[in-house]
Amino acid sequence: MNKVFDRRGWIYAGALALGLGAMPAAADNITIGVAVEPGALDPHFHNTQQNLLIARHLFDFLIVRDSRQQLRPGLAESWRAIDDKTWELKLRKDVKWHDGAPFTADDVIFSAARVPNVPNSPGSYATYVGGKEFVKIDDHTLQVKTQDPYPLMPNDLATFAIISKKHGEGATTQDYNSGKAAVGTGPYKLVEWARGDRITLAANPNYWGGKPKWDKVTLKVISSGPSRVAELLAGGVDLIDKVPPADIKNLKANAAMALSQSPSNRLMFYAPDSNRHI
Protein backbone atom coordinates (compact mmCIF):
# COMPACT_ATOMS: atom_id res chain seq x y z
CA MET A 1 0.00 0.00 0.00
CA ASN A 2 1.45 3.34 -0.99
CA LYS A 3 1.95 5.83 1.80
CA VAL A 4 2.44 8.81 -0.51
CA PHE A 5 -0.61 10.35 -2.17
CA ASP A 6 -0.38 12.62 -5.19
CA ARG A 7 -2.99 15.18 -6.26
CA ARG A 8 -5.05 12.47 -7.92
CA GLY A 9 -4.92 10.57 -4.66
CA TRP A 10 -4.59 12.84 -1.65
CA ILE A 11 -2.04 15.20 -0.15
CA TYR A 12 -1.54 15.88 3.53
CA ALA A 13 1.50 17.24 5.29
CA GLY A 14 3.06 16.05 8.53
CA ALA A 15 2.58 12.63 10.09
CA LEU A 16 -0.12 10.44 8.55
CA ALA A 17 -1.45 7.10 9.66
CA LEU A 18 -3.07 4.74 7.17
CA GLY A 19 -5.21 1.78 8.16
CA LEU A 20 -4.19 -0.98 5.74
CA GLY A 21 -6.67 -3.57 6.90
CA ALA A 22 -9.63 -1.21 6.59
CA MET A 23 -9.00 -0.48 2.90
CA PRO A 24 -9.63 -3.02 0.13
CA ALA A 25 -6.98 -2.94 -2.60
CA ALA A 26 -9.35 -1.49 -5.18
CA ALA A 27 -11.26 0.86 -2.90
CA ASP A 28 -13.19 3.54 -4.77
CA ASN A 29 -13.80 5.72 -1.72
CA ILE A 30 -11.62 7.00 1.09
CA THR A 31 -12.51 8.62 4.41
CA ILE A 32 -9.88 10.80 6.06
CA GLY A 33 -9.98 11.96 9.66
CA VAL A 34 -8.68 15.53 9.81
CA ALA A 35 -7.78 17.57 12.86
CA VAL A 36 -8.74 20.94 11.43
CA GLU A 37 -11.27 21.85 8.77
CA PRO A 38 -10.59 24.75 6.40
CA GLY A 39 -11.74 28.23 7.31
CA ALA A 40 -12.97 28.81 3.76
CA LEU A 41 -13.17 27.12 0.37
CA ASP A 42 -12.39 30.43 -1.31
CA PRO A 43 -8.77 29.71 -2.38
CA HIS A 44 -7.79 33.39 -2.13
CA PHE A 45 -9.36 34.17 1.23
CA HIS A 46 -6.73 33.12 3.78
CA ASN A 47 -3.21 31.83 3.27
CA THR A 48 -3.24 28.91 5.70
CA GLN A 49 -2.16 25.31 5.26
CA GLN A 50 -5.58 23.81 5.88
CA ASN A 51 -7.22 26.06 3.28
CA LEU A 52 -4.43 25.39 0.81
CA LEU A 53 -4.71 21.62 1.18
CA ILE A 54 -8.34 21.70 0.07
CA ALA A 55 -7.73 24.30 -2.65
CA ARG A 56 -5.10 22.10 -4.29
CA HIS A 57 -7.71 19.43 -4.97
CA LEU A 58 -10.52 21.67 -6.19
CA PHE A 59 -8.38 24.15 -8.10
CA ASP A 60 -5.06 24.18 -9.93
CA PHE A 61 -1.97 26.37 -9.83
CA LEU A 62 0.11 27.64 -12.73
CA ILE A 63 3.16 25.90 -11.30
CA VAL A 64 3.14 23.17 -8.65
CA ARG A 65 5.65 21.76 -6.18
CA ASP A 66 6.39 18.07 -5.98
CA SER A 67 7.04 16.14 -2.75
CA ARG A 68 10.60 17.49 -2.70
CA GLN A 69 9.49 21.10 -3.29
CA GLN A 70 10.76 21.14 -6.85
CA LEU A 71 8.77 23.27 -9.31
CA ARG A 72 6.78 21.31 -11.89
CA PRO A 73 4.33 22.25 -14.66
CA GLY A 74 0.75 22.85 -13.55
CA LEU A 75 -1.69 24.85 -15.65
CA ALA A 76 1.43 26.32 -17.23
CA GLU A 77 3.20 23.73 -19.38
CA SER A 78 6.35 25.83 -19.48
CA TRP A 79 7.75 29.18 -18.36
CA ARG A 80 10.84 31.17 -19.26
CA ALA A 81 12.33 34.63 -18.88
CA ILE A 82 12.31 36.24 -22.31
CA ASP A 83 14.10 39.35 -21.07
CA ASP A 84 15.22 40.82 -17.74
CA LYS A 85 11.72 42.01 -16.83
CA THR A 86 9.37 39.63 -18.65
CA TRP A 87 8.42 36.01 -18.05
CA GLU A 88 6.37 34.08 -20.60
CA LEU A 89 4.10 31.13 -19.78
CA LYS A 90 2.60 28.62 -22.15
CA LEU A 91 -0.73 27.39 -20.77
CA ARG A 92 -2.23 23.94 -21.24
CA LYS A 93 -4.80 23.68 -24.02
CA ASP A 94 -6.55 20.53 -22.79
CA VAL A 95 -7.89 21.90 -19.50
CA LYS A 96 -11.61 22.23 -18.72
CA TRP A 97 -13.35 23.75 -15.74
CA HIS A 98 -15.65 21.47 -13.77
CA ASP A 99 -18.58 22.83 -15.80
CA GLY A 100 -16.88 21.91 -19.09
CA ALA A 101 -15.84 25.45 -20.09
CA PRO A 102 -12.28 25.85 -21.45
CA PHE A 103 -9.49 27.29 -19.33
CA THR A 104 -7.75 30.32 -20.87
CA ALA A 105 -5.35 33.16 -20.07
CA ASP A 106 -8.37 35.32 -19.16
CA ASP A 107 -8.90 33.14 -16.07
CA VAL A 108 -5.31 33.68 -14.97
CA ILE A 109 -5.50 37.45 -15.38
CA PHE A 110 -8.80 37.54 -13.49
CA SER A 111 -7.35 35.42 -10.66
CA ALA A 112 -4.27 37.61 -10.28
CA ALA A 113 -6.46 40.72 -10.12
CA ARG A 114 -8.77 39.19 -7.51
CA VAL A 115 -6.07 37.91 -5.13
CA PRO A 116 -5.36 41.27 -3.39
CA ASN A 117 -8.99 42.36 -3.39
CA VAL A 118 -10.80 39.67 -1.40
CA PRO A 119 -12.90 41.43 1.28
CA ASN A 120 -12.07 40.74 4.93
CA SER A 121 -9.14 38.47 4.09
CA PRO A 122 -7.22 37.78 7.33
CA GLY A 123 -4.10 36.64 5.45
CA SER A 124 -3.84 37.59 1.79
CA TYR A 125 -1.80 36.15 -1.09
CA ALA A 126 -1.34 39.70 -2.37
CA THR A 127 2.43 39.71 -1.91
CA TYR A 128 2.74 37.08 -4.66
CA VAL A 129 1.03 39.19 -7.33
CA GLY A 130 2.24 42.63 -6.24
CA GLY A 131 4.39 44.52 -8.73
CA LYS A 132 3.43 42.18 -11.57
CA GLU A 133 1.50 42.98 -14.75
CA PHE A 134 -0.25 40.00 -16.34
CA VAL A 135 -0.58 40.41 -20.11
CA LYS A 136 -2.53 38.12 -22.44
CA ILE A 137 -0.75 37.28 -25.70
CA ASP A 138 -3.32 34.73 -26.83
CA ASP A 139 -5.69 32.29 -25.13
CA HIS A 140 -2.83 30.05 -24.04
CA THR A 141 0.14 32.40 -23.84
CA LEU A 142 0.68 34.83 -21.00
CA GLN A 143 3.42 37.27 -20.08
CA VAL A 144 4.16 38.62 -16.61
CA LYS A 145 6.06 41.89 -16.51
CA THR A 146 7.89 43.58 -13.62
CA GLN A 147 9.67 46.92 -13.26
CA ASP A 148 12.90 45.23 -12.16
CA PRO A 149 14.45 41.80 -12.80
CA TYR A 150 12.64 39.21 -10.68
CA PRO A 151 14.21 35.71 -10.68
CA LEU A 152 11.73 34.33 -8.12
CA MET A 153 8.76 34.65 -10.48
CA PRO A 154 8.16 30.86 -10.80
CA ASN A 155 8.07 30.53 -6.99
CA ASP A 156 5.42 33.23 -6.71
CA LEU A 157 3.31 31.71 -9.48
CA ALA A 158 3.29 28.40 -7.60
CA THR A 159 1.57 30.03 -4.62
CA PHE A 160 -1.95 31.14 -5.59
CA ALA A 161 -4.81 29.17 -7.14
CA ILE A 162 -6.38 29.94 -10.50
CA ILE A 163 -10.14 30.39 -10.43
CA SER A 164 -12.77 30.62 -13.14
CA LYS A 165 -13.47 34.13 -14.38
CA LYS A 166 -16.99 33.07 -15.31
CA HIS A 167 -17.84 31.85 -11.81
CA GLY A 168 -15.61 34.27 -9.93
CA GLU A 169 -16.95 37.58 -11.24
CA GLY A 170 -19.02 39.09 -8.45
CA ALA A 171 -18.59 35.99 -6.29
CA THR A 172 -18.05 36.32 -2.55
CA THR A 173 -16.16 34.03 -0.22
CA GLN A 174 -19.52 32.67 0.90
CA ASP A 175 -20.30 31.73 -2.71
CA TYR A 176 -17.21 29.52 -2.67
CA ASN A 177 -18.07 28.08 0.74
CA SER A 178 -21.58 27.18 -0.41
CA GLY A 179 -20.25 25.56 -3.56
CA LYS A 180 -21.90 28.04 -5.91
CA ALA A 181 -18.57 29.44 -7.15
CA ALA A 182 -16.30 26.52 -6.20
CA VAL A 183 -15.84 25.46 -9.83
CA GLY A 184 -12.21 24.60 -10.45
CA THR A 185 -10.03 22.59 -12.81
CA GLY A 186 -8.72 20.30 -10.08
CA PRO A 187 -9.01 16.51 -9.74
CA TYR A 188 -12.00 16.71 -7.39
CA LYS A 189 -15.33 18.53 -7.33
CA LEU A 190 -17.10 19.79 -4.23
CA VAL A 191 -20.19 17.79 -3.28
CA GLU A 192 -20.92 19.12 0.20
CA TRP A 193 -19.39 21.03 3.09
CA ALA A 194 -21.21 20.32 6.35
CA ARG A 195 -19.32 22.67 8.66
CA GLY A 196 -17.89 21.06 11.75
CA ASP A 197 -18.61 17.57 10.42
CA ARG A 198 -17.35 16.72 6.93
CA ILE A 199 -16.40 17.78 3.43
CA THR A 200 -17.35 15.46 0.58
CA LEU A 201 -15.62 15.53 -2.80
CA ALA A 202 -16.21 13.58 -6.02
CA ALA A 203 -13.66 12.71 -8.68
CA ASN A 204 -13.41 14.92 -11.75
CA PRO A 205 -13.49 12.32 -14.55
CA ASN A 206 -12.21 14.87 -17.08
CA TYR A 207 -9.20 15.99 -15.06
CA TRP A 208 -6.33 16.92 -17.38
CA GLY A 209 -3.81 15.19 -15.09
CA GLY A 210 -5.47 11.76 -15.36
CA LYS A 211 -8.24 9.91 -13.57
CA PRO A 212 -8.26 10.54 -9.82
CA LYS A 213 -7.48 7.53 -7.64
CA TRP A 214 -10.61 7.88 -5.53
CA ASP A 215 -14.19 8.24 -6.77
CA LYS A 216 -15.26 9.83 -3.50
CA VAL A 217 -13.27 11.50 -0.73
CA THR A 218 -14.81 12.32 2.65
CA LEU A 219 -12.92 14.52 5.08
CA LYS A 220 -14.29 13.83 8.54
CA VAL A 221 -13.49 16.50 11.13
CA ILE A 222 -12.16 14.92 14.35
CA SER A 223 -10.40 17.60 16.35
CA SER A 224 -9.29 15.37 19.22
CA GLY A 225 -6.04 13.50 18.54
CA PRO A 226 -6.92 10.41 20.62
CA SER A 227 -10.35 10.30 18.98
CA ARG A 228 -8.79 10.35 15.50
CA VAL A 229 -6.51 7.46 16.41
CA ALA A 230 -9.41 5.51 17.96
CA GLU A 231 -11.53 6.05 14.86
CA LEU A 232 -8.68 4.81 12.66
CA LEU A 233 -8.15 1.71 14.78
CA ALA A 234 -11.90 1.00 14.72
CA GLY A 235 -12.01 1.27 10.93
CA GLY A 236 -14.26 4.34 10.90
CA VAL A 237 -11.71 6.23 8.79
CA ASP A 238 -9.01 5.00 6.42
CA LEU A 239 -6.44 7.71 7.03
CA ILE A 240 -5.74 10.40 9.62
CA ASP A 241 -3.52 13.46 9.69
CA LYS A 242 -1.59 15.06 12.56
CA VAL A 243 -0.88 11.84 14.37
CA PRO A 244 -0.38 12.56 18.10
CA PRO A 245 3.32 12.02 18.95
CA ALA A 246 2.36 9.85 21.91
CA ASP A 247 0.67 7.35 19.54
CA ILE A 248 3.42 7.08 16.93
CA LYS A 249 5.29 4.22 18.62
CA ASN A 250 2.17 2.06 19.00
CA LEU A 251 1.00 2.74 15.46
CA LYS A 252 4.40 1.79 14.07
CA ALA A 253 4.20 -1.50 15.94
CA ASN A 254 0.71 -2.25 14.56
CA ALA A 255 1.01 -4.39 11.41
CA ALA A 256 -2.39 -3.17 10.24
CA MET A 257 -1.17 0.43 10.14
CA ALA A 258 1.31 2.36 8.01
CA LEU A 259 2.82 5.61 9.21
CA SER A 260 4.14 8.25 6.85
CA GLN A 261 6.32 11.11 8.07
CA SER A 262 8.27 13.80 6.30
CA PRO A 263 10.23 16.90 7.29
CA SER A 264 8.39 20.19 7.07
CA ASN A 265 9.64 23.13 5.02
CA ARG A 266 8.37 25.48 7.71
CA LEU A 267 10.91 26.60 10.30
CA MET A 268 9.65 27.23 13.83
CA PHE A 269 12.00 28.86 16.31
CA TYR A 270 12.23 30.86 19.52
CA ALA A 271 13.84 34.30 19.45
CA PRO A 272 15.12 36.02 22.59
CA ASP A 273 13.59 39.34 23.52
CA SER A 274 16.69 41.48 22.92
CA ASN A 275 14.80 44.78 23.13
CA ARG A 276 13.92 44.52 26.81
CA HIS A 277 16.46 45.43 29.46
CA ILE A 278 16.32 43.42 32.62
Side-chain angles (χ1 to χ4, degrees):
M1 176 64 69
N2 291 332
K3 293 185 288 181
V4 177
F5 296 83
D6 62 16
R7 283 166 41 77
R8 289 175 297 164
W10 201 257
I11 294 175
Y12 259 94
L16 308 176
L18 175 67
L20 303 183
M23 297 175 61
D28 295 323
N29 305 329
I30 185 170
T31 300
I32 304 171
V34 299
V36 183
E37 69 178 331
L41 299 185
D42 179 344
H44 299 158
F45 179 68
H46 192 188
N47 185 0
T48 66
Q49 178 182 329
Q50 209 64 27
N51 289 2
L52 184 62
L53 288 171
I54 298 298
R56 288 193 178 279
H57 296 283
L58 296 175
F59 302 91
D60 279 309
F61 293 62
L62 290 169
I63 300 171
V64 299
R65 298 181 188 274
D66 65 16
S67 60
R68 301 188 66 84
Q69 298 298 297
Q70 299 300 304
L71 298 177
R72 304 296 184 200
L75 291 176
E77 287 184 316
S78 64
W79 55 93
R80 65 190 180 103
I82 59 175
D83 62 44
D84 287 349
K85 302 176 184 178
T86 307
W87 286 78
E88 184 171 271
L89 293 83
K90 293 294 185 179
L91 305 178
R92 295 184 184 275
K93 297 180 180 180
D94 59 342
V95 178
K96 303 288 186 183
W97 294 98
H98 290 161
D99 65 355
F103 157 73
T104 72
D106 292 325
D107 298 305
V108 179
I109 293 172
F110 174 79
S111 298
R114 181 181 185 268
V115 163
N117 295 303
V118 178
N120 304 314
S121 171
S124 175
Y125 290 86
T127 186
Y128 303 108
V129 299
K132 301 176 179 66
E133 180 187 4
F134 289 75
V135 180
K136 177 181 177 180
I137 305 304
D138 59 43
D139 277 352
H140 296 94
T141 305
L142 188 75
Q143 291 184 355
V144 187
K145 299 178 180 291
T146 54
Q147 292 185 344
D148 300 299
Y150 192 68
L152 294 179
M153 182 68 74
N155 297 73
D156 284 7
L157 297 181
T159 307
F160 62 93
I162 304 303
I163 62 173
S164 162
K165 178 181 179 181
K166 172 184 172 182
H167 293 277
E169 287 184 323
T172 65
T173 293
Q174 181 53 41
D175 289 329
Y176 285 90
N177 294 345
S178 70
K180 178 182 177 182
V183 177
T185 57
Y188 292 92
K189 302 179 180 182
L190 177 66
V191 175
E192 177 190 27
W193 182 14
R195 279 185 179 268
D197 182 32
R198 67 190 181 280
I199 296 175
T200 306
L201 307 176
N204 174 11
N206 300 314
Y207 180 52
W208 59 268
K211 185 180 184 298
K213 181 177 181 66
W214 311 104
D215 291 337
K216 178 183 176 182
V217 176
T218 302
L219 305 180
K220 188 174 180 180
V221 181
I222 309 173
S223 58
S224 164
S227 296
R228 280 196 310 284
V229 173
E231 191 75 357
L232 178 69
L233 293 172
V237 297
D238 306 305
L239 174 71
I240 63 171
D241 71 349
K242 302 187 186 305
V243 178
D247 291 298
I248 289 178
K249 182 178 179 180
N250 289 336
L251 289 172
K252 280 184 174 180
N254 189 331
M257 298 291 148
L259 190 73
S260 178
Q261 295 172 283
S262 118
S264 171
N265 64 354
R266 183 176 185 182
L267 177 64
M268 306 293 286
F269 62 93
Y270 289 103
D273 181 358
S274 58
N275 294 320
R276 182 168 53 183
H277 298 286
I278 298 177

